[in-house]
Structure formats: structure tokens, C-alpha cells
Amino acid sequence: MVQRTSLLKFIIEEQRHHPHATGEFTGLLTDVVTACKKISSLTSCGGLAEQAMGTAGSENVQGETQKKLDILSNEIFIESTEWSGNLAGMASEEMDDCYPVPSQYPRGKYLITFDPLDGSSNIDINVSVGTIFSIMVAPEGTDTVVNEDFLQPGARQVCAGYCLYGTSTMMVLTTGRGVNGFTLDRSTGDFLLTHPMMEIPADTNEYSINQSNHRHWEPAVQRYIDECLQGADGPLGKNYNMRWIASMVADVHRLLCRGGVFMYPMDAKLQAKGQNGKLRLLYEANPMSFVVEQAQGLASTGRQRIMEVQPEELHQRVPVIMGSRNEVERILGYHS
Ligand code: P6P
């Protein structure tokens, strides 16, 4: 029987690399793990949890129809993390403004941003979805956190990761010392280390993009995809495969496992709506960029390293090009 390290043991051993650690970070991460286990249980019920399926009859700040599970997952995340004294506040795709930890609970030093159920349009068709989270340190001296406290470049994250509710439930995270993947053992309720020190292959022949937007893309992206479609007889000299799950967590997890490039680039349709991209910076692009970079990949807007973007508002969107280093560098070359 293979003896595997549990996520809790891994986190506590990681804490030993920080001699001044107070245990707050470990406590917060433990609460995030609890939230993800509960969301995993909820999403695995599928149509059996009738009260949780379908739309909630409301829209989020993005103007997107909220699924009941979006709202339930958001509530689970708040209830699992607000009480333990590790957080000063949180911000979520599903909430217009940030959520300061209520005064009846002790205030901790961390901030967390999260997308409680990314890809939720896949829920009703039983396709993988996920939770994405990003942990930063709250600015000193602030009493009650405000939206502006979250507007920190992604390079300031102390931890980021995702939980993928797929054929198995996997927690993949980084604290700045590489990327490790843990699989939920439902017989014990433990996440066990199954993917130590994940690394993205530098080269790939697999791209991930919503092809239906081709006519709206910038010329650099159109050029790259058109060259991929020309295959071995074209300038890239090899045949490509394409995948699009329309669930960022699943599409990025795939490239973390076997290489690839994931793109949700700027397009004219989004620009016409005054949006600077589709994916949100604080709780999708930044956490996934931290993971991708820690796994030796690159993550760019096409013109700037995503983790260097200075956020200007909570639900800001950015173009996203991330994955295998050499392939992303080629695409960035086309942009310049
Ligand atoms: P489209 C899910 O709604 C999401 O935010 C990402 O998870 C996913 O990559 C993207 O949007 C899918 O967008 O336009 O293909 O539906």
C-alpha cells in the first residue's frame, strides 16, 4: 500500500519553512480545503440535488446568470473561512463588493479572492467545474477591509490554487515553492499527494481556445491559430490538437498535466462591451498564473505578465494566454 502524504501534513511541513509562522496561514488553508470538500460533495450530487440545480433567477455583478450552485458554493466558502480568525476579508465573483469578516469574529491578516464555482455553465451537462482561490496579505493598519485593499498585483499572492471537481476531486496549489496536486480519498476524506512538483512541458502541440470567436480576435492570435491549423505542412511544422472544455480549471489542469496553451484573448466582441477580456484578474487569471508560473510555464495578457498587472477594480477582466513556455513565447512574439 503506497503511503501518501496528506494535504494537512504537507501544509504543516511547509509551515516549518517559515520560522516566524503563526499558524494563521495553515489555518486558513485548512478552512479552504474544508470548503472545497463540501463543494465537491454538493457538485457530485448532480441532478439528485434538485434544489441545487438550474439557475437562481439572479445575475452576478458580471451580468451573468447565477446558478443555484454558484450561490450555494459562495455561501459554503464564506461559512468555512469567516469565523476562524485567519482572514480580514474576502472577495468573490459572486459578490458585488468585498466581504469584510464580521466583527463578531477575530480579524486575521489575510485576504482571499475566489471564484467559488468556475465553469458553472457546465453543471447542468455534468462536465467538470472547479473552485479557484488566491490568498494575499491585508494591508497593515486597515480596520475594516474595503475593495481597494484587494487591488494588489498577482505577484503579491502568498498562495493560489484550485480544486477541480472532475472524475476525481483534485486540489492543486502553490505557496511559491512549486506546484503540488492532491487527490481526494473519499473513504477517509483526506486529500493525498498524488502529483508532486508538477511541471508544464516547455513545448506542446495542443491549444485550448473558443474557436467560435476567431473573427473577433486580434491579428496575432488569428495568425497563431491559423498556423496551428496548417499543421505539419505549415510554418509550425507539426500537427496540433485542440481542446476546449469551457471550464478554465479543467482546461488549465490539462496543460499542467501534459502541456498546452490556454487562451481567452482580447476580442472585438468583448471590446464592444467595454470589457478588457473575458476572464477576471483577481480570482481567475492571477491565481492560475501563479500556479502556471510556479510549474515553469508563462502567463501573459499578450502584452504584459499577468501577475504584474496593477488591478484597478475588483472584477477587472484581462486577456489570458498561458501554458507551455516556448509556445507562449511564440504567441507573444506575434503580438510584438
Ligand atoms: P466561453 C467559465 O464561464 C469561464 O469563466 C471559464 O471557466 C472558461 O474558460 C470560459 O469562461 C468559457 O468561456 O465563452 O467559451 O463560454
Side-chain angles (χ1 to χ4, degrees):
M1 176 79 168
V2 174
Q3 284 304 316
R4 295 185 187 281
T5 300
S6 74
L7 178 49
L8 181 59
K9 182 167 181 283
F10 180 88
I11 296 169
I12 289 170
E13 287 173 349
E14 278 291 293
Q15 179 179 315
R16 292 185 186 133
H17 294 284
H18 303 272
H20 306 297
T22 63
E24 270 192 68
F25 176 74
T26 297
L28 173 55
L29 212 40
T30 305
D31 296 341
V32 169
V33 168
T34 300
C36 291
K37 286 179 186 175
K38 291 178 178 176
I39 295 170
S40 172
S41 173
L42 193 60
T43 54
S44 66
C45 297
L48 297 175
E50 280 161 16
Q51 78 285 0
M53 298 307 284
T55 61
S58 55
E59 286 189 347
N60 60 21
V61 68
Q62 335 280 346
E64 293 166 346
T65 302
Q66 288 177 303
K67 298 285 187 182
K68 289 175 188 164
L69 276 186
D70 283 327
I71 294 173
L72 285 173
S73 302
N74 196 63
E75 289 167 356
I76 288 171
F77 215 95
I78 291 171
E79 288 158 10
S80 303
T81 56
E82 66 177 342
W83 55 273
S84 54
N86 304 309
L87 268 186
M90 52 186 103
S92 157
E93 177 182 87
E94 303 306 331
M95 299 188 293
D96 296 4
D97 291 305
C98 72
Y99 177 87
V101 165
S103 53
Q104 72 255 37
Y105 300 125
R107 181 191 186 284
K109 69 179 180 185
Y110 292 106
L111 298 175
I112 194 164
T113 65
F114 58 96
D115 182 353
L117 206 60
D118 180 69
S120 55
S121 58
N122 284 328
I123 283 281
D124 297 340
I125 57 167
N126 197 18
V127 168
S128 301
V129 291
T131 297
I132 309 173
F133 64 91
S134 165
I135 298 173
M136 302 173 280
V137 177
E140 290 290 328
T142 53
D143 186 23
T144 302
V145 295
V146 294
N147 289 353
E148 285 67 26
D149 293 328
F150 292 82
L151 305 185
Q152 303 180 31
R156 300 256 285 276
Q157 296 173 96
V158 294
C159 175
Y162 59 82
C163 195
L164 172 60
Y165 312 115
T167 47
S168 64
T169 289
M170 275 196 72
M171 177 74 81
V172 175
L173 58 88
T174 183
T175 58
R177 292 162 32 88
V179 177
N180 291 281
F182 302 82
T183 301
L184 181 61
D185 176 346
R186 294 193 186 280
S187 67
T188 62
D190 283 335
F191 276 104
L192 301 180
L193 181 63
T194 51
H195 296 64
M197 293 309 282
M198 299 178 82
E199 258 194 58
I200 303 171
D203 295 300
T204 185
N205 67 341
E206 189 160 72
Y207 68 89
S208 183
I209 196 166
N210 183 336
Q211 191 83 20
S212 69
N213 294 321
H214 186 287
R215 64 190 181 286
H216 301 301
W217 295 331
E218 295 179 290
V221 174
Q222 288 177 333
R223 173 185 171 189
Y224 171 67
I225 298 299
D226 293 347
E227 290 180 356
C228 290
L229 293 172
Q230 292 171 48
D233 301 333
L236 302 184
K238 57 185 177 181
N239 295 324
Y240 278 73
N241 192 33
M242 194 278 274
R243 287 283 183 275
W244 187 248
I245 305 171
S247 189
M248 183 185 195
V249 176
D251 280 315
V252 174
H253 184 71
R254 182 190 55 252
L255 70 82
L256 218 67
C257 293
R258 69 186 194 206
V261 61
F262 170 84
M263 304 168 81
Y264 212 111
M266 172 48 83
D267 73 43
K269 192 174 52 168
L270 295 167
Q271 273 176 324
K273 290 190 279 186
Q275 295 174 356
N276 191 33
K278 164 85 188 268
L279 303 176
R280 274 63 52 142
L281 176 60
L282 288 184
Y283 39 81
E284 289 174 330
N286 268 342
M288 295 311 243
S289 297
F290 193 11
V291 170
V292 165
E293 287 197 0
Q294 282 290 310
Q296 310 308 314
L298 291 181
S300 172
T301 64
R303 292 177 173 79
Q304 179 180 16
R305 180 179 174 230
I306 286 176
M307 293 214 292
E308 285 173 358
V309 175
Q310 173 54 54
E312 288 164 9
E313 64 95 16
L314 213 49
H315 300 287
Q316 176 172 338
R317 299 169 187 262
V318 288
V320 172
I321 300 170
M322 58 171 58
S324 293
R325 168 174 298 278
N326 295 342
E327 203 74 6
V328 172
E329 279 175 348
R330 166 184 295 281
I331 299 165
L332 299 186
Y334 291 177
H335 279 76
S336 58

